[in-house]
Amino acid sequence: MHCVSERFDFTGDELAPAYRAAVDAIEAGDLVVLPTDTVYGIAADAFKADAVQRLLDAKGRGRDMPPPVLISVVESLDALATDVPEAGRKLCEAFWPGPLTVICHAQTSLMWDLGDTQGTVALRVPDHENTRELLSRTGPLAVSSANLSGQPAALDVYDAEAQLLDSVAVFLDGGAVTGGEPSTIVDLTGDVPHVVRIGALSMAQIREIVPEATTDLEPDEKPDTEDEPTEPQPEASKLETTDNEPAEDKPVDDLPTADEKPVDEKPADEKPVDEKPLDDEKPAEVKPVDEKTDVRPAD
């Protein structure tokens, strides 16, 4: 569906025309681009299945990637989600409004179709005052980043317009967003909170509130620059993770250790292991270096 797009200023005090146009578009089942505290988002009425499908089509995304839902206040959590653990509530109270998205079990009574959600819903309260005011007027909105699938998220309304064109009815210009990073996503459907995407909130920040939080992504986190060696670290790390041995105990590339002489020099005074030394004996059968090589993993 193609619309006649309009752009409205979403800053300052003269916001009435922007709110009115956005609410009308949402009620009509059309799409609205709006600013958040992280990136610009493309929004649709969460309770209109055809509008949500229009959102997915505009991005070039399938139903296997359902959009999150933005809400205006923390108190709306229990209206849309069920069985929220206490640890999850602590995270929401600490970081909402803000760049935290929580995946919860959806209320079974809700009449919506966000895609293939497997009975869950991802919720967030954005830290953007005007957008929260709009949400209080429209109700929950299905919102995904305002970009074509696979492209960088839009950081201003002009980038969003260039990517989404006339698939959107109303563009709300809130200026360039200052966040830039996507929200951190925490799955609250298991026994403990599990971080499935590390974004604007780090694992350290999450664990300040919920120490038991888990993730499979920590190795991909960027350490603080002052704690990160620049050049020497990769070789040592490779040895430690591959062989489970300290780097200083492991000869690199089968080179002899500091106390050994290369095998091909065959010094006369070198003694094979567990054998009596002979003047002309060569250490052909017992090679410490090759023994280390034989026990390395194939990979």
Side-chain angles (χ1 to χ4, degrees):
M1 178 178 178
H2 296 282
C3 308
V4 177
S5 301
E6 295 181 280
R7 187 197 318 137
F8 293 87
D9 182 18
F10 205 48
T11 61
D13 298 327
E14 300 299 323
L15 296 172
Y19 285 134
R20 184 164 53 249
V23 170
D24 288 346
I26 293 297
E27 290 180 349
D30 291 329
L31 305 180
V32 173
V33 161
L34 45 75
T36 76
D37 49 323
T38 54
V39 297
Y40 268 75
I42 179 172
D45 188 334
F47 294 96
K48 287 184 170 67
D50 57 343
V52 174
Q53 186 59 53
R54 195 168 294 127
L55 183 157
L56 296 175
D57 292 343
K59 286 179 61 74
R61 176 176 287 185
R63 286 175 53 83
D64 59 326
M65 300 181 72
V69 173
L70 296 190
I71 54 180
S72 60
V73 291
V74 178
E75 289 74 18
S76 297
L77 176 64
D78 290 318
L80 303 179
T82 185
D83 300 325
V84 180
E86 186 60 30
R89 293 184 186 279
K90 289 180 180 179
L91 288 174
C92 293
E93 291 169 0
F95 296 117
W96 279 0
L100 170 72
T101 298
V102 293
I103 300 174
C104 306
H105 294 290
Q107 289 281 2
T108 57
S109 60
L110 294 175
M111 301 299 292
W112 61 9
D113 182 5
L114 299 171
D116 300 331
T117 64
Q118 308 300 316
T120 64
V121 61
L123 300 171
R124 185 164 92 87
V125 178
D127 190 12
H128 192 288
E129 183 177 358
N130 293 345
T131 294
R132 289 200 308 276
E133 174 60 27
L134 177 61
L135 288 163
S136 72
R137 302 182 184 208
T138 62
L141 294 179
V143 179
S144 184
S145 57
N147 57 276
L148 296 176
S149 186
Q151 298 298 312
L155 300 183
D156 60 48
V157 74
Y158 303 103
D159 189 7
E161 283 182 327
Q163 293 193 59
L164 299 171
L165 303 173
D166 55 358
S167 62
V168 173
V170 172
F171 289 88
L172 299 178
D173 184 2
V177 296
T178 57
E181 286 189 275
S183 63
T184 293
I185 302 178
V186 183
D187 187 347
L188 302 180
T189 62
D191 294 333
V192 296
H194 185 74
V195 176
V196 297
R197 183 177 76 186
I198 299 173
L201 296 176
S202 68
M203 278 304 302
Q205 290 174 287
I206 295 295
R207 285 185 172 140
E208 283 181 5
I209 308 301
V210 181
E212 67 271 24
T214 61
T215 187
D216 299 325
L217 306 174
E218 279 186 298
D220 294 333
E221 280 194 291
K222 293 181 179 179
D224 294 335
T225 54
E226 62 268 24
D227 296 333
E228 182 181 14
T230 54
E231 294 300 331
Q233 186 66 20
E235 284 298 323
S237 298
K238 182 172 67 175
L239 291 173
E240 289 169 1
T241 55
T242 301
D243 300 305
N244 296 320
E245 295 177 8
E248 61 269 20
D249 294 339
K250 182 72 173 181
V252 179
D253 295 332
D254 293 338
L255 292 178
T257 63
D259 297 329
E260 292 178 317
K261 295 183 178 180
V263 174
D264 56 8
E265 291 183 9
K266 303 179 179 64
D269 57 349
E270 183 174 354
K271 299 178 181 181
V273 178
D274 297 332
E275 294 185 15
K276 293 181 179 181
L278 296 176
D279 292 340
D280 57 351
E281 187 174 6
K282 299 179 180 180
E285 297 299 324
V286 181
K287 298 181 181 179
V289 174
D290 287 345
E291 286 179 354
K292 290 180 178 288
T293 302
D294 291 340
V295 298
R296 291 182 178 175
D299 57 356

Coordinates of all heavy atoms in Angstrom, one line a residue, residues 55-137:
L55 N 3.8 -3.1 8.1 CA 5.1 -2.8 8.6 C 6.2 -3.8 8.2 O 7.3 -3.4 7.7 CB 5.1 -2.7 10.2 CG 6.3 -2.3 11.0 CD1 5.9 -1.8 12.3 CD2 7.3 -3.4 11.2
L56 N 5.9 -5.1 8.3 CA 6.9 -6.1 7.9 C 7.2 -6.0 6.4 O 8.4 -6.1 6.0 CB 6.4 -7.5 8.2 CG 6.2 -7.8 9.7 CD1 5.5 -9.1 9.9 CD2 7.5 -7.7 10.5
D57 N 6.2 -5.7 5.6 CA 6.4 -5.6 4.1 C 7.2 -4.3 3.8 O 8.1 -4.4 2.9 CB 5.0 -5.5 3.4 CG 4.2 -6.7 3.5 OD1 4.8 -7.8 3.8 OD2 3.0 -6.7 3.3
A58 N 7.0 -3.2 4.5 CA 7.8 -2.0 4.3 C 9.3 -2.2 4.5 O 10.1 -1.7 3.8 CB 7.2 -0.9 5.1
K59 N 9.6 -3.1 5.5 CA 11.0 -3.3 5.9 C 11.6 -4.5 5.0 O 12.8 -4.6 5.0 CB 11.1 -3.7 7.3 CG 11.0 -2.6 8.3 CD 11.1 -3.0 9.7 CE 12.4 -3.6 10.0 NZ 13.5 -2.7 10.1
G60 N 10.7 -5.2 4.3 CA 11.2 -6.4 3.6 C 11.5 -7.5 4.6 O 12.5 -8.3 4.4
R61 N 10.7 -7.7 5.6 CA 11.0 -8.7 6.7 C 9.8 -9.7 6.7 O 8.7 -9.3 6.5 CB 11.1 -7.9 8.0 CG 11.3 -8.8 9.2 CD 11.6 -8.0 10.5 NE 12.9 -7.5 10.4 CZ 13.5 -6.8 11.5 NH1 12.7 -6.6 12.6 NH2 14.7 -6.3 11.4
G62 N 10.1 -10.9 7.1 CA 9.1 -11.9 7.2 C 8.5 -12.0 8.6 O 8.9 -11.4 9.5
R63 N 7.5 -12.9 8.7 CA 6.7 -13.0 10.0 C 7.6 -13.7 11.0 O 7.3 -13.7 12.2 CB 5.5 -13.8 9.8 CG 4.4 -13.1 9.1 CD 3.2 -14.0 8.7 NE 2.7 -14.7 9.9 CZ 1.9 -14.1 10.8 NH1 1.4 -12.9 10.7 NH2 1.5 -14.9 11.9
D64 N 8.7 -14.3 10.6 CA 9.6 -14.9 11.6 C 10.4 -13.9 12.4 O 11.2 -14.3 13.3 CB 10.6 -15.9 10.8 CG 11.4 -15.2 9.8 OD1 10.9 -14.2 9.2 OD2 12.6 -15.6 9.6
M65 N 10.3 -12.6 12.1 CA 11.0 -11.6 12.8 C 9.9 -10.6 13.3 O 9.9 -9.4 12.8 CB 12.0 -10.9 12.0 CG 13.1 -11.9 11.5 SD 14.4 -11.1 10.5 CE 15.3 -10.1 11.8
P66 N 9.1 -10.9 14.3 CA 8.0 -10.0 14.7 C 8.6 -8.8 15.4 O 9.6 -8.9 16.0 CB 7.2 -10.9 15.7 CG 8.2 -11.9 16.2 CD 9.1 -12.2 15.0
P67 N 7.9 -7.7 15.3 CA 8.4 -6.4 15.9 C 8.1 -6.4 17.4 O 7.2 -7.0 17.8 CB 7.6 -5.4 15.1 CG 6.3 -6.0 14.8 CD 6.7 -7.5 14.5
P68 N 9.0 -5.6 18.1 CA 8.7 -5.4 19.5 C 7.5 -4.4 19.6 O 7.0 -3.9 18.6 CB 10.0 -4.7 20.0 CG 11.0 -5.0 19.0 CD 10.3 -5.1 17.7
V69 N 7.0 -4.3 20.8 CA 5.9 -3.4 21.1 C 6.3 -2.3 22.1 O 6.9 -2.6 23.1 CB 4.7 -4.1 21.7 CG1 3.6 -3.2 22.1 CG2 4.1 -5.1 20.6
L70 N 6.1 -1.0 21.7 CA 6.4 0.1 22.6 C 5.2 0.5 23.4 O 4.1 0.5 22.9 CB 6.9 1.3 21.8 CG 8.2 1.2 21.0 CD1 8.7 2.6 20.5 CD2 9.3 0.5 21.9
I71 N 5.4 0.7 24.7 CA 4.4 1.2 25.6 C 4.8 2.5 26.3 O 6.0 2.8 26.3 CB 4.0 0.1 26.6 CG1 5.3 -0.3 27.4 CG2 3.4 -1.1 26.0 CD1 5.1 -1.4 28.4
S72 N 3.9 3.2 26.9 CA 4.2 4.5 27.4 C 4.6 4.5 28.8 O 5.4 5.4 29.3 CB 3.0 5.4 27.2 OG 1.8 4.9 27.9
V73 N 4.2 3.5 29.6 CA 4.5 3.5 31.0 C 4.8 2.0 31.5 O 4.3 1.1 30.9 CB 3.3 4.0 31.9 CG1 3.2 5.5 31.7 CG2 2.0 3.3 31.6
V74 N 5.6 1.9 32.6 CA 5.9 0.6 33.1 C 4.7 -0.1 33.5 O 4.6 -1.4 33.4 CB 6.9 0.8 34.3 CG1 7.2 -0.5 35.0 CG2 8.1 1.5 33.9
E75 N 3.7 0.6 34.0 CA 2.5 -0.1 34.5 C 1.7 -0.9 33.4 O 0.9 -1.7 33.8 CB 1.5 1.0 35.1 CG 2.0 1.6 36.4 CD 3.1 2.6 36.2 OE1 3.4 3.0 35.1 OE2 3.8 2.9 37.3
S76 N 2.0 -0.6 32.2 CA 1.3 -1.4 31.1 C 1.9 -2.8 30.9 O 1.4 -3.6 30.2 CB 1.5 -0.7 29.8 OG 0.8 0.6 29.8
L77 N 3.0 -3.1 31.6 CA 3.7 -4.4 31.5 C 2.7 -5.5 31.8 O 2.6 -6.5 31.0 CB 4.9 -4.4 32.4 CG 5.7 -5.8 32.5 CD1 6.3 -6.1 31.2 CD2 6.7 -5.7 33.6
D78 N 2.0 -5.5 32.9 CA 1.1 -6.6 33.2 C -0.1 -6.7 32.4 O -0.8 -7.7 32.3 CB 0.8 -6.5 34.7 CG 1.9 -6.8 35.6 OD1 2.7 -7.7 35.3 OD2 2.1 -6.0 36.6
A79 N -0.4 -5.6 31.7 CA -1.6 -5.7 30.8 C -1.3 -6.5 29.5 O -2.2 -7.1 28.9 CB -2.1 -4.3 30.4
L80 N 0.0 -6.6 29.2 CA 0.4 -7.2 27.9 C 1.2 -8.5 28.2 O 1.2 -9.4 27.3 CB 1.2 -6.3 27.1 CG 0.6 -4.9 26.7 CD1 1.6 -4.1 25.9 CD2 -0.7 -5.1 26.0
A81 N 1.8 -8.7 29.3 CA 2.6 -9.8 29.6 C 2.1 -10.6 30.9 O 1.4 -10.0 31.7 CB 4.1 -9.4 29.8
T82 N 2.5 -11.8 31.0 CA 2.1 -12.6 32.1 C 3.4 -13.4 32.6 O 4.3 -13.5 31.9 CB 1.0 -13.6 31.8 OG1 0.6 -14.3 32.9 CG2 1.5 -14.6 30.7
D83 N 3.3 -13.8 33.9 CA 4.4 -14.5 34.5 C 5.7 -13.8 34.4 O 6.8 -14.4 34.2 CB 4.5 -15.9 33.9 CG 3.2 -16.8 34.0 OD1 2.6 -16.7 35.0 OD2 2.9 -17.5 33.0
V84 N 5.7 -12.5 34.7 CA 6.9 -11.7 34.7 C 7.7 -12.0 36.0 O 7.1 -11.7 37.0 CB 6.6 -10.2 34.5 CG1 8.0 -9.4 34.5 CG2 5.9 -10.0 33.2
P85 N 8.9 -12.5 35.9 CA 9.6 -12.8 37.2 C 10.0 -11.5 37.9 O 10.1 -10.5 37.3 CB 10.8 -13.6 36.7 CG 11.0 -13.1 35.3 CD 9.7 -12.8 34.7
E86 N 10.3 -11.7 39.2 CA 10.7 -10.5 40.0 C 12.0 -9.9 39.5 O 12.1 -8.7 39.5 CB 10.8 -10.9 41.5 CG 11.1 -9.8 42.4 CD 10.0 -8.8 42.4 OE1 8.8 -9.1 42.2 OE2 10.3 -7.6 42.6
A87 N 12.9 -10.7 39.0 CA 14.1 -10.2 38.5 C 13.9 -9.3 37.3 O 14.5 -8.3 37.1 CB 15.1 -11.3 38.1
G88 N 12.9 -9.7 36.4 CA 12.5 -8.9 35.3 C 11.9 -7.6 35.6 O 12.2 -6.6 35.0
R89 N 11.1 -7.6 36.7 CA 10.5 -6.4 37.1 C 11.5 -5.4 37.6 O 11.4 -4.2 37.4 CB 9.5 -6.7 38.2 CG 8.3 -7.4 37.8 CD 7.2 -7.6 38.9 NE 6.2 -8.5 38.5 CZ 5.1 -8.1 37.7 NH1 5.0 -6.8 37.4 NH2 4.2 -9.0 37.4
K90 N 12.6 -5.9 38.3 CA 13.6 -5.1 38.8 C 14.4 -4.4 37.6 O 14.7 -3.2 37.7 CB 14.6 -5.9 39.6 CG 14.1 -6.3 40.9 CD 15.2 -7.1 41.7 CE 14.7 -7.6 43.0 NZ 15.7 -8.4 43.8
L91 N 14.6 -5.1 36.5 CA 15.2 -4.6 35.3 C 14.4 -3.5 34.7 O 14.9 -2.4 34.4 CB 15.5 -5.7 34.3 CG 16.6 -6.6 34.6 CD1 16.7 -7.8 33.6 CD2 18.0 -5.9 34.7
C92 N 13.1 -3.7 34.6 CA 12.2 -2.7 34.0 C 12.1 -1.5 34.9 O 12.1 -0.3 34.4 CB 10.8 -3.3 33.8 SG 10.7 -4.6 32.6
E93 N 12.1 -1.6 36.2 CA 12.0 -0.5 37.1 C 13.3 0.3 37.0 O 13.3 1.5 37.1 CB 11.7 -1.0 38.5 CG 10.3 -1.5 38.7 CD 10.1 -2.2 40.0 OE1 11.1 -2.3 40.8 OE2 9.0 -2.7 40.3
A94 N 14.4 -0.4 36.8 CA 15.7 0.3 36.8 C 16.0 1.0 35.4 O 16.6 2.1 35.4 CB 16.8 -0.7 37.0
F95 N 15.6 0.4 34.3 CA 16.0 0.9 33.0 C 14.8 1.5 32.2 O 15.1 1.9 31.0 CB 16.7 -0.2 32.3 CG 18.0 -0.6 32.9 CD1 18.1 -1.9 33.4 CD2 19.0 0.3 33.1 CE1 19.3 -2.3 34.0 CE2 20.2 -0.1 33.7 CZ 20.4 -1.4 34.1
W96 N 13.6 1.5 32.6 CA 12.5 2.1 31.8 C 12.2 3.4 32.5 O 12.1 3.5 33.7 CB 11.3 1.2 31.9 CG 11.3 0.1 30.9 CD1 12.3 -0.2 30.0 CD2 10.3 -1.0 30.7 NE1 12.0 -1.3 29.2 CE2 10.8 -1.8 29.7 CE3 9.1 -1.2 31.3 CZ2 10.1 -2.9 29.2 CZ3 8.4 -2.3 30.8 CH2 8.9 -3.1 29.8
P97 N 11.9 4.5 31.7 CA 12.2 4.5 30.2 C 13.7 4.4 29.9 O 14.5 4.9 30.6 CB 11.6 5.9 29.8 CG 10.8 6.4 30.9 CD 11.4 5.7 32.2
G98 N 13.9 3.6 28.8 CA 15.3 3.5 28.4 C 15.5 2.3 27.4 O 14.6 1.7 27.0
P99 N 16.8 2.1 27.1 CA 17.1 1.1 26.0 C 17.1 -0.3 26.5 O 18.1 -1.1 26.2 CB 18.5 1.6 25.6 CG 19.1 2.1 26.9 CD 18.0 2.7 27.6
L100 N 16.1 -0.8 27.1 CA 15.9 -2.2 27.5 C 14.6 -2.7 26.9 O 13.5 -2.2 27.1 CB 15.8 -2.3 29.1 CG 15.4 -3.6 29.6 CD1 16.5 -4.6 29.4 CD2 14.9 -3.5 31.1
T101 N 14.8 -3.8 26.2 CA 13.6 -4.6 25.7 C 13.5 -5.9 26.4 O 14.6 -6.6 26.5 CB 13.8 -4.8 24.2 OG1 13.8 -3.6 23.5 CG2 12.6 -5.7 23.6
V102 N 12.4 -6.3 26.9 CA 12.2 -7.5 27.6 C 11.2 -8.4 26.8 O 10.2 -8.0 26.4 CB 11.7 -7.3 29.1 CG1 12.8 -6.6 29.9 CG2 10.4 -6.6 29.1
I103 N 11.6 -9.7 26.7 CA 10.8 -10.7 26.1 C 10.0 -11.4 27.2 O 10.6 -12.0 28.0 CB 11.6 -11.7 25.2 CG1 12.4 -10.9 24.1 CG2 10.7 -12.8 24.6 CD1 13.3 -11.8 23.3
C104 N 8.7 -11.4 27.1 CA 7.8 -12.0 28.1 C 6.8 -12.9 27.5 O 6.6 -12.9 26.3 CB 7.1 -10.9 28.9 SG 8.1 -9.6 29.6
H105 N 6.2 -13.7 28.3 CA 5.0 -14.5 27.9 C 3.9 -13.5 27.6 O 3.6 -12.7 28.5 CB 4.6 -15.5 28.9 CG 5.6 -16.6 29.1 ND1 5.9 -17.6 28.2 CD2 6.4 -16.9 30.2 CE1 6.8 -18.4 28.6 NE2 7.2 -18.0 29.8
A106 N 3.2 -13.6 26.5 CA 2.2 -12.6 26.2 C 0.9 -13.1 26.8 O 0.6 -14.3 27.0 CB 2.0 -12.5 24.7
Q107 N 0.1 -12.1 27.2 CA -1.3 -12.4 27.7 C -2.1 -13.1 26.6 O -2.2 -12.7 25.5 CB -2.0 -11.1 28.1 CG -1.5 -10.4 29.4 CD -2.0 -11.1 30.6 OE1 -2.7 -12.1 30.6 NE2 -1.5 -10.5 31.8
T108 N -2.6 -14.3 27.0 CA -3.3 -15.1 26.0 C -4.6 -14.5 25.5 O -5.1 -14.8 24.4 CB -3.6 -16.5 26.5 OG1 -4.4 -16.4 27.7 CG2 -2.3 -17.2 26.8
S109 N -5.1 -13.5 26.3 CA -6.4 -12.9 25.9 C -6.3 -11.8 24.9 O -7.3 -11.3 24.3 CB -7.1 -12.3 27.2 OG -6.2 -11.3 27.7
L110 N -5.0 -11.4 24.6 CA -4.8 -10.3 23.6 C -5.2 -10.7 22.2 O -4.7 -11.8 21.7 CB -3.4 -9.8 23.7 CG -2.9 -9.2 25.0 CD1 -1.4 -8.9 25.0 CD2 -3.7 -7.9 25.3
M111 N -5.9 -9.9 21.5 CA -6.3 -10.1 20.1 C -5.3 -9.4 19.2 O -5.6 -8.2 18.7 CB -7.7 -9.7 19.9 CG -8.8 -10.4 20.8 SD -8.8 -12.2 20.6 CE -9.5 -12.2 18.9
W112 N -4.2 -9.9 19.0 CA -3.2 -9.3 18.1 C -2.5 -10.4 17.3 O -2.5 -11.6 17.7 CB -2.3 -8.4 18.8 CG -1.4 -8.9 19.9 CD1 -1.2 -10.3 20.2 CD2 -0.6 -8.2 20.8 NE1 -0.4 -10.4 21.2 CE2 0.0 -9.1 21.6 CE3 -0.4 -6.8 21.0 CZ2 0.9 -8.7 22.6 CZ3 0.5 -6.5 22.0 CH2 1.1 -7.4 22.8
D113 N -1.8 -10.0 16.3 CA -1.0 -10.9 15.5 C 0.3 -10.2 15.0 O 0.3 -9.4 14.0 CB -1.8 -11.4 14.2 CG -1.0 -12.4 13.4 OD1 0.1 -12.8 13.8 OD2 -1.5 -12.8 12.3
L114 N 1.3 -10.4 15.8 CA 2.6 -9.7 15.5 C 3.5 -10.5 14.6 O 4.6 -10.0 14.3 CB 3.3 -9.4 16.9 CG 2.5 -8.5 17.8 CD1 3.3 -8.4 19.2 CD2 2.4 -7.1 17.3
G115 N 3.1 -11.7 14.3 CA 4.0 -12.6 13.5 C 4.2 -13.9 14.3 O 3.4 -14.2 15.2
D116 N 5.2 -14.6 14.0 CA 5.5 -15.9 14.7 C 6.2 -15.6 16.0 O 7.5 -15.8 16.1 CB 6.4 -16.8 13.7 CG 5.7 -17.1 12.4 OD1 4.4 -17.1 12.4 OD2 6.4 -17.3 11.4
T117 N 5.5 -15.3 17.0 CA 6.0 -14.9 18.3 C 6.2 -16.1 19.3 O 6.8 -15.9 20.3 CB 5.1 -13.9 19.0 OG1 3.9 -14.5 19.2 CG2 5.0 -12.7 18.1
Q118 N 5.6 -17.3 18.9 CA 5.6 -18.4 19.8 C 5.1 -18.1 21.2 O 5.6 -18.5 22.3 CB 7.1 -18.9 20.0 CG 7.8 -19.2 18.7 CD 7.1 -20.3 17.8 OE1 6.6 -21.3 18.4 NE2 6.9 -20.0 16.5
G119 N 4.0 -17.2 21.2 CA 3.4 -16.9 22.5 C 4.1 -15.9 23.4 O 3.8 -15.7 24.5
T120 N 5.1 -15.2 22.8 CA 5.8 -14.2 23.5 C 5.6 -12.8 23.0 O 5.0 -12.6 21.9 CB 7.3 -14.5 23.5 OG1 7.8 -14.3 22.2 CG2 7.6 -15.9 24.1
V121 N 6.0 -11.8 23.7 CA 6.0 -10.4 23.2 C 7.2 -9.7 23.8 O 7.6 -9.9 24.9 CB 4.7 -9.7 23.7 CG1 4.6 -9.6 25.2 CG2 4.6 -8.3 23.0
A122 N 7.8 -8.8 22.9 CA 9.0 -8.0 23.3 C 8.5 -6.6 23.6 O 7.9 -6.0 22.8 CB 10.0 -8.0 22.3
L123 N 8.7 -6.1 24.8 CA 8.2 -4.8 25.3 C 9.3 -3.8 25.6 O 10.4 -4.2 26.1 CB 7.3 -5.0 26.5 CG 6.1 -5.9 26.3 CD1 5.4 -6.2 27.6 CD2 5.1 -5.3 25.3
R124 N 9.0 -2.5 25.4 CA 10.0 -1.5 25.8 C 9.2 -0.2 26.1 O 8.2 0.1 25.4 CB 11.0 -1.3 24.7 CG 12.1 -0.3 25.1 CD 13.3 -0.4 24.2 NE 13.3 0.5 23.1 CZ 13.8 1.7 23.1 NH1 14.2 2.3 24.2 NH2 13.7 2.5 22.0
V125 N 9.7 0.6 27.0 CA 9.3 2.0 27.2 C 10.4 2.9 26.8 O 11.5 2.9 27.4 CB 8.9 2.3 28.7 CG1 8.5 3.7 28.9 CG2 7.8 1.3 29.2
P126 N 10.3 3.6 25.7 CA 11.4 4.5 25.2 C 11.6 5.7 26.0 O 10.6 6.3 26.6 CB 10.9 4.8 23.7 CG 9.4 4.8 23.9 CD 9.0 3.7 24.8
D127 N 12.8 6.2 26.1 CA 13.1 7.4 26.8 C 13.1 8.6 25.9 O 14.1 9.2 25.6 CB 14.5 7.2 27.4 CG 14.9 8.3 28.4 OD1 13.9 9.1 28.8 OD2 16.0 8.5 28.8
H128 N 11.9 8.8 25.4 CA 11.6 10.0 24.5 C 10.3 10.5 24.9 O 9.2 9.9 24.7 CB 11.7 9.5 23.0 CG 11.7 10.7 22.1 ND1 10.6 11.5 21.9 CD2 12.7 11.2 21.3 CE1 10.9 12.4 21.0 NE2 12.2 12.2 20.6
E129 N 10.2 11.7 25.5 CA 9.0 12.2 26.1 C 7.9 12.4 25.1 O 6.8 12.0 25.3 CB 9.3 13.6 26.8 CG 8.1 14.2 27.5 CD 8.5 15.5 28.2 OE1 9.7 15.9 28.1 OE2 7.6 16.1 28.8
N130 N 8.2 12.9 23.9 CA 7.1 13.1 22.9 C 6.6 11.8 22.4 O 5.4 11.7 22.1 CB 7.6 14.0 21.8 CG 7.9 15.4 22.2 OD1 7.5 15.9 23.3 ND2 8.7 16.2 21.4
T131 N 7.5 10.9 22.2 CA 7.0 9.6 21.7 C 6.2 8.9 22.7 O 5.2 8.2 22.4 CB 8.2 8.7 21.3 OG1 8.8 9.3 20.1 CG2 7.8 7.3 20.9
R132 N 6.5 9.0 24.0 CA 5.7 8.4 25.1 C 4.3 9.0 25.1 O 3.3 8.4 25.4 CB 6.4 8.5 26.4 CG 7.6 7.6 26.6 CD 7.9 7.3 28.0 NE 8.1 8.5 28.8 CZ 9.2 9.3 28.9 NH1 10.2 8.9 28.1 NH2 9.2 10.3 29.6
E133 N 4.3 10.3 24.9 CA 3.0 11.0 24.9 C 2.1 10.5 23.7 O 0.9 10.3 23.8 CB 3.2 12.5 24.7 CG 1.9 13.4 24.5 CD 0.9 13.2 25.7 OE1 1.3 12.9 26.8 OE2 -0.3 13.4 25.4
L134 N 2.8 10.3 22.5 CA 2.0 9.7 21.4 C 1.5 8.3 21.8 O 0.4 8.0 21.5 CB 2.9 9.7 20.2 CG 2.3 9.0 18.9 CD1 1.1 9.8 18.5 CD2 3.4 8.9 17.8
L135 N 2.3 7.5 22.4 CA 1.9 6.2 22.8 C 0.7 6.2 23.8 O -0.1 5.3 23.7 CB 3.1 5.4 23.4 CG 4.2 5.0 22.5 CD1 5.5 4.7 23.2 CD2 3.8 3.8 21.6
S136 N 0.7 7.2 24.6 CA -0.4 7.3 25.6 C -1.7 7.6 24.8 O -2.8 7.3 25.3 CB -0.1 8.4 26.6 OG -0.2 9.7 26.0
R137 N -1.6 8.2 23.6 CA -2.8 8.5 22.8 C -3.2 7.4 21.9 O -4.4 7.2 21.6 CB -2.5 9.8 22.0 CG -2.2 11.0 22.9 CD -2.0 12.3 22.0 NE -1.5 13.4 22.8 CZ -1.8 14.7 22.5 NH1 -2.4 15.0 21.4 NH2 -1.3 15.6 23.3

